[in-house]
Each structure stands twice: as C-alpha cells, then as structure tokens.
Amino acid sequence: MPESSSPSPLVERLLRGVRDADIAESLSYREPGAAALADQPAPDGVGTEATPVPADPRASISQAGYDFVVRWETGGKAYYESVIRGRPVWPGYSSGITIGCGFDLGYHTPAEFSQQWQSRLPATEFQRLAQTIGFKTVAPNRDAKVVKARQLVASLSDITVSWAVAIEQFDKAKLPRLIRQLFSALDNLDRLHPHSRSALLSLVFNRGPAFTASDDRYREMRAIAKLMRQGDAVSFRRIPVELRAMKRIWGEQSSLAERREGEAQLFLAGLEEQRLLESLTAPVETEAAEMELPGRAGELLDDLAIEQSDDADEALLLEGAGEAGLEAAVTIGAVRWNPDDRDQPDYAHLDLAAAGSAFTVMGEDIDALIEANAFKPLQEPIVLAIRGAALASGDRENVASLDLIDQRPDHREFRCVIGVFHPSTRRFSAYRASTVPNAQYVLNCFDQARAGTPLSGLTGNILPTGCYTFTVGTHKKNKPGEIPGVLRLSTTATGASAVVVQRSLSDVVYDRSDVFVVATPGDNIHPGILNVGFSSAGCLTLPGRFTGGQHVGVWQRFRKAAGIDGAPDGEQRSALLLTGLDFANAARLRAGSLGKPSLRRLRHGSQGERVKALQRALGLQPDARGIFGPLTRKALCERQAEVLGGADGIYSPEMDARLGFTVYAGA
C-alpha cells in the first residue's frame, strides 16, 4: 500500500492546513509511560477482548488512512527528503536518535534493531547507530542528555537512509507490528470500516496501545476501549467525541490536537461509508417503502400521510432540556456554527471570495439564481430565505433592491433574512430572521442520538439549501402552541413533505461528515415565539408571536408582504432557501467579476434534463418531470460520501468533474 502520488479528496481535507512544523512537533512527542509500548513487539496471541488479526494486516486499513498515517508519522516523501534529508535526527522532548520513518533507537532493543535494520544498512553505519540503542532524553539529567543527543546527531550526520529504504522498513516492519498491536488491544475492529480502523491506528502510532493505562491523561483511551467492547453503532458514534476530547491534554492549538481532529473526521468518514449511522433502526414503516432509493419510478414528491417529525416545544426550550444528558460532557455552550466554510455543507461548494462582504441584491440577481439552479418557482410572490445574512439598513418593505452583509448563523440569534420578491413589480420586502435550528435543539439531537434514539425519532435538523414548496396551514395543529396561518413545508394544508435534512449526531457542529436522512421534518415558516432568540428544531422563523388570536411583530409584517394574511389554507408559495454568499456571488456575476458557470447548481427543487442525467448517473430511474427531490439528494449524498469522504447534497460543475459524471459536459 504505497503512499498515494495523488491524495484523495478525503486525505486533502484531513491534512488541509497541516504544516511541516506541525509534523516536526508531532514527531518529537513521546507519550509518557506509553511510548515504549508502541515500539514493543506485538504479542503473538490476542487477548480475550481483542479482534483476531487479519491475515494481511495492511489490508485492514484504507489507502486514505495509510496516507494520513504516513504524513503524520513520517512527514511524507517530500518532507523526508527536503527537511530530514534522510539523516539521523533527534526530534526533541523525550525522544532518542531517530532514523528512517520514525524508528526511535532509544525505545528499541539491540535485537529489534538488528532484526529490522542490519540487512538495510551498510555494516559500518549499522554499528555506529547501534551505539545509540536505549539512549533517550528523559529524566534524570535530561539537560545533559539533550546536549549529548545534539552531539550524537552531529557525529552521525554523514549517514543517510534513502526514502525508498525508510518507507520499505516502515511498510514491512513498523506498520504491520502496530496494526497487530491495535488488533490485540481492541475488540470488534472487524465491525469498522477501514477508514475508522485507520483512525485508531493513527492514535496507537502516536500514543501507544495504552487503552488500559490508569493515569487520567488516558481516560479517553480507556473510554474508547470500552466503546469498542460494546461494539454497537451508538458506541461507535461516540468514539470521534473521545478523540476530540483528548485535545485537552495538549491544547486546542497544538499539532496533536490537529491530529486528533483529523482522526475524528477519518473515523466519521468510515461510519458514513458504512452507513452505521443510518442502520441503528429502519425508518418508520410508513416511510420505509416509500423512501427506498432503487427501483422507484421517479422522485418522492407528494406529501406523506404521516406526522411531521421534528417539533419544537417552547416549554422544553425554556426548561433547558438536554443539558443533563448522558455524562453531559457536551453542553449547550459547545454548539456553534462551523467556522470552516469548506467543511460546512451550505458553503463548501461556493466561491468564498465575497465572504463577509456587503453587497446589493437586485431583481436581476434573483433571475440569475433561478436560472443557474434550474428552479421553477411558483410565481407572485417568491419567498426568499437567505441563510447567513444581515440587512445593512434594517428591515425593508417594497423596495427595488436589498443591501445585505454576508455573515454566518450562530443558532442563537436572528442572523439570517427572510422576505419576498415580486417578479412582476421587481420589488422586495425583507426582515431579520433565522433559517437554522436553535442551539438547544442541536444539543437535543446530539443527546438523543447518544441515548440510542432511532433516526426516525430524533428532533433537531438543518434544512439544506434549495427551492421548496410551502403551503398555508396550521403549525402544531391540535397541539399546545398551535399557530394557524403559517407556511408549512408541504404541498397540502395538512400533509408532510419528504425532504433530506442533516442531523449532527457525533458532535454539535454541522459539517460534511454528518448524516443526511430522508424525513418529514415539518421545517415550517413561523414566528420565533421566544422573547430571546427563537424556537426552532429546524424551522425558518421571524421575530414575533401568535397570541390572543392575533399574529404580531415582524412575523405579521412578513405575512402581509407574502400575501398570506387572510389567505385560505392550501395556498402555496415557493421559497428559495440559499445562503447570503449565493446572493453575493449572483451580485458579482451581475458586476462581471464572476462567470456564469460558477453559479450553476443542482439541488432540491432543480428541474430539467440535467437533473435526469444526474439521476441516471446515480443509478436512479429518471423522474418523468426531471425534478431533484429527496431521493436524488439522498443518492447524491451517499455517492459523495463514498467517493469524497463527505457530503453536501449539492451538484456543481466542479462536483461533476470530481465524480466523473459529465452531467455538465459542454455547458
């Protein structure tokens, strides 16, 4: 399994931002008390809690995982040849003299050195290096040992070990031994995807197989061993949380914290590919047959005769439910919007040059976005739901343009914009709003998942961008908090539209490794209700209430602008749910600073021949009307996760090239 000459997109994402200085710092680290374990021969047998070692140990990890480990453990070929230059080094801290790909002579016996290196080195160089066996810069007298280490490195600087020899020793000796140690230490490894096994192997390379060490610094290691013994999907989902929790040891800004983060993402990529997150239980029976991807004659476009699944409870929010969950290691304070646009599904596909900018939206920009996304919205008026934007001059009504500022949501305040656009008059109205779940429901979803709640029973989601049909009806009909005259995510006044939503199950930050599921969430457009913040498990909300039989606040002004004040149940509106950055890029297109292909996308609500071509490429039977609905988005997410290690459910010309479908060929 040689190092990839062209790393996969997954590896590129995992190693994005990793510098040579980070590698140097990581290589110099030796885990106190556990370092020696990593360099000891693996036991011949396996313990009662271990997994039998596969016949070909290296086949048990993925190529992406191998590339990840090689970069962190050796620096990779370019680092080895340009920085280390094949010479013996003293990495620092408690290390000894190190050669090749991280072979620390201070932590090996003469017999091990002879077995692994005598045939790979000239006799004189072997003898000179053998004199450093067992020497390492640990207490007592560490200062003197550091001086000696530097002297030894200088005296051995004429010795070089080529990359070919170093990586051959790594592949044939060190790597198989560490894989055997991993399998000897943990149970149920055979139930994991190779990506996930690779993440744990990286951990063992770095910290040793110290899964039973009693010191507090190893508490997450002990927790991982326990979760692996339990061996169920819920336990596996918890492992990335434990990997990230280890950052406490070295600090959030350290190279080892960055390595732990990469391991967590690699483990999650394995879970996504294996569908472990979605195999906890089947969807509810009424959904299961309808939502089977293969063999359907077209898309799933009609409302389902089942309840909308996500339902925010104002009383639950006021009580602060979810803060005292299982061993509440994660609190509401941890909930945040993903700071990395490249890992946030709504933004990962976008040109980010206009991030944070101020811009003006014109009617021409709405036309461009509709055309570029192949939307066919219902006319007069069109609802605009702009995720991550602020109105530069406050709420606006009946104006010819909107002055906006790109920003990011935060799950706590109204940091989005919802309004309307009238195609016939080219006039806008717009108000501060939210298009994301509040922090409490992000945490609730995470806590419910940890407690073993099936996917179909979770509450808390984010509705991905797209063009959706909303229908006038009642929110929470015949339940506490009933609100008539809202816009329901449905095609009928009482139905429930099936859509793909994203749920964050392994942490409380949405990213491209989170699970996308087909659900009937009821992500309606309604008043925010609360005095501070907004009540939303995934709904789109504006400041205001329904109280004493009256709609009040900004919510009522929006109802008038949208023409639903007094409208009968069943009246429909199309809503363009896009990010502020989508609108900013449309403004850049109008200004001539961005090309038209950069706006082209297929996502929920897109229609036409390209959608049919995409459905065929995904192995689906093309929809008769060429509509991109939940089945297409779900299949696209699965293919993206399989090929790229993460998903956003959005299809662009760039994605076309990465997946090799040629849907945009000739465009």
Side-chain angles (χ1 to χ4, degrees):
M1 187 181 289
E3 184 182 13
S4 296
S5 57
S6 299
S8 69
L10 172 59
V11 174
E12 291 179 349
R13 176 166 66 89
L14 295 175
L15 296 176
R16 185 186 303 134
V18 177
R19 305 162 303 162
D20 286 349
D22 298 321
I23 299 299
E25 179 181 288
S26 177
L27 290 175
S28 68
Y29 174 77
R30 278 285 181 177
E31 184 69 49
L37 291 174
D39 287 325
Q40 292 303 310
D44 294 332
V46 294
T48 57
E49 300 296 338
T51 309
V53 181
D56 181 359
R58 283 187 295 170
S60 66
I61 63 172
S62 65
Q63 181 66 52
Y66 174 88
D67 290 344
F68 179 84
V69 168
V70 165
R71 173 60 169 148
W72 276 110
E73 280 299 311
T74 75
K77 186 173 187 289
Y79 177 86
Y80 186 87
E81 293 182 339
S82 63
V83 179
I84 296 177
R85 292 184 293 175
R87 296 174 179 173
V89 297
W90 174 65
Y93 296 109
S94 57
S95 299
I97 305 305
T98 300
I99 63 171
C101 295
F103 189 93
D104 193 328
L105 294 160
Y107 290 87
H108 285 84
T109 66
E112 291 162 4
F113 180 52
S114 176
Q115 180 185 20
Q116 297 185 43
W117 284 100
Q118 190 162 21
S119 64
R120 295 182 171 101
L121 293 171
T124 55
E125 295 182 359
F126 175 83
Q127 291 299 329
R128 291 169 64 194
L129 290 167
Q131 296 174 24
T132 69
I133 290 290
F135 169 77
K136 44 188 176 288
T137 50
V138 295
N141 302 319
R142 182 178 184 276
D143 290 345
K145 291 176 181 177
V146 168
V147 172
K148 181 178 179 181
R150 290 171 175 157
Q151 292 172 344
L152 284 171
V153 166
S155 70
L156 299 169
S157 61
D158 60 310
I159 296 175
T160 59
V161 179
S162 70
W163 170 255
V165 171
I167 198 65
E168 187 266 345
Q169 187 275 337
F170 178 86
D171 284 344
K172 292 187 176 180
K174 186 171 184 177
L175 179 64
R177 184 176 69 257
L178 268 292
I179 292 174
R180 288 194 296 271
Q181 287 186 335
L182 173 67
F183 275 80
S184 297
L186 296 177
D187 199 11
N188 290 312
L189 284 164
D190 55 327
R191 297 196 58 209
L192 292 180
H193 185 278
H195 286 338
S196 300
R197 287 196 291 265
S198 300
L200 295 176
L201 177 67
S202 173
L203 179 67
V204 168
F205 259 100
N206 183 233
R207 302 199 69 191
F211 295 102
T212 59
S214 59
D215 192 279
D216 181 66
R217 69 184 291 113
Y218 302 112
R219 67 174 184 246
E220 294 88 0
M221 301 277 285
R222 295 193 299 272
I224 288 174
K226 180 179 178 181
L227 293 167
M228 289 300 298
R229 285 195 298 272
Q230 292 168 345
D232 57 83
V234 174
S235 297
F236 290 155
R237 263 203 334 264
R238 176 67 190 174
I239 288 174
V241 178
E242 298 296 342
L243 288 167
R244 286 171 168 143
M246 292 182 201
K247 296 177 186 179
R248 67 180 174 88
I249 301 170
W250 311 282
E252 289 283 343
Q253 304 305 315
S254 66
S255 63
L256 290 176
E258 188 162 3
R259 181 166 178 171
R260 296 293 89 82
E261 178 62 32
E263 289 163 357
Q265 292 187 30
L266 182 58
F267 196 100
L268 284 167
L271 293 184
E272 177 63 26
E273 288 204 18
Q274 200 172 9
R275 309 294 184 264
L276 283 174
L277 291 176
E278 297 186 52
S279 65
L280 299 176
T281 63
V284 293
E285 291 184 2
T286 50
E287 293 181 321
E290 293 293 330
M291 297 185 187
E292 187 72 26
L293 289 180
R296 287 190 55 84
E299 260 290 357
L300 180 58
L301 303 173
D302 297 328
D303 281 3
L304 301 182
I306 56 178
E307 290 291 325
Q308 295 181 322
S309 60
D310 289 53
D311 202 0
D313 185 330
E314 182 179 359
L316 189 68
L317 289 168
L318 294 175
E319 293 168 3
E323 291 212 50
L326 290 172
E327 304 171 2
V330 178
T331 66
I332 197 167
V335 178
R336 60 174 180 159
W337 190 260
N338 195 325
D340 183 358
D341 282 344
R342 287 298 181 191
D343 197 34
Q344 210 295 324
D346 292 327
Y347 292 88
H349 61 98
L350 292 171
D351 184 314
L352 300 176
S357 67
F359 57 96
T360 299
V361 175
M362 309 287 292
E364 181 181 340
D365 304 326
I366 308 302
D367 298 338
L369 286 168
I370 290 173
E371 178 187 355
N373 286 272
F375 293 149
K376 294 184 179 179
L378 302 170
Q379 295 296 308
E380 221 55 54
I382 298 170
V383 174
L384 304 178
I386 308 175
R387 175 167 289 156
L391 287 153
S393 303
D395 296 347
R396 308 290 288 165
E397 293 186 322
N398 194 30
V399 295
S401 62
L402 295 176
D403 292 328
L404 299 178
I405 302 170
D406 176 64
Q407 62 180 8
R408 297 296 172 267
D410 69 358
H411 299 293
R412 289 170 175 81
E413 299 181 12
F414 293 104
R415 292 177 60 84
C416 304
V417 172
I418 295 179
V420 295
F421 172 67
H422 293 265
S424 61
T425 62
R426 318 299 283 174
R427 309 292 284 185
F428 295 88
S429 294
Y431 312 89
R432 66 190 180 97
S434 175
T435 66
V436 302
N438 68 20
Q440 189 63 62
Y441 273 96
V442 178
L443 179 62
N444 286 353
C445 183
F446 169 75
D447 279 345
Q448 289 170 354
R450 289 175 65 200
T453 303
L455 283 175
S456 58
L458 296 175
T459 301
N461 76 87
I462 193 165
L463 184 65
T465 56
C467 180
Y468 296 90
T469 297
F470 287 81
T471 302
V472 177
T474 299
H475 180 66
K476 300 176 69 173
K477 189 175 181 64
N478 298 323
K479 296 180 180 179
E482 177 181 279
I483 308 173
V486 306
L487 286 170
R488 291 174 55 93
L489 182 56
S490 61
T491 58
T492 62
T494 59
S497 290
V499 296
V500 166
V501 297
Q502 188 181 29
R503 302 195 193 276
S504 188
L505 309 185
S506 61
D507 56 23
V508 287
V509 178
Y510 289 103
D511 58 44
R512 294 177 64 253
S513 65
D514 283 328
V515 63
F516 286 85
V517 296
V518 180
T520 54
D523 287 344
N524 305 328
I525 304 177
H526 66 70
I529 302 173
L530 301 180
N531 291 327
V532 177
F534 51 89
S535 170
S536 170
C539 292
L540 287 59
T541 58
L542 299 97
R545 284 182 177 271
F546 177 72
T547 180
Q550 299 293 319
H551 299 277
V552 298
V554 172
W555 161 247
Q556 168 61 354
R557 292 162 55 197
F558 164 76
R559 293 181 79 251
K560 289 182 178 179
I564 63 172
D565 190 22
D569 284 0
E571 193 164 308
Q572 294 185 331
R573 296 288 183 273
S574 287
L576 304 187
L577 172 58
L578 299 169
T579 67
L581 200 53
D582 282 292
F583 285 86
N585 286 341
R588 292 174 64 201
L589 173 66
R590 171 169 44 85
S593 60
L594 204 63
K596 184 175 289 188
S598 64
L599 256 64
R600 289 178 180 148
R601 300 290 186 274
L602 297 177
R603 48 185 143 192
H604 188 100
S606 298
Q607 299 185 40
E609 292 303 314
R610 282 205 178 101
V611 173
K612 292 183 180 181
L614 175 59
Q615 289 167 337
R616 283 191 290 268
L618 292 169
L620 302 177
Q621 183 172 342
D623 178 75
R625 292 172 288 175
I627 298 178
F628 188 124
L631 301 186
T632 304
R633 180 164 244 162
K634 185 64 169 62
L636 175 58
C637 287
E638 290 177 346
R639 185 63 62 88
Q640 288 175 322
E642 177 184 356
V643 176
L644 308 176
D648 58 22
I650 296 171
Y651 201 77
S652 63
E654 180 185 9
M655 185 60 63
D656 197 40
R658 296 179 77 180
L659 296 183
F661 285 170
T662 67
V663 168
Y664 280 101

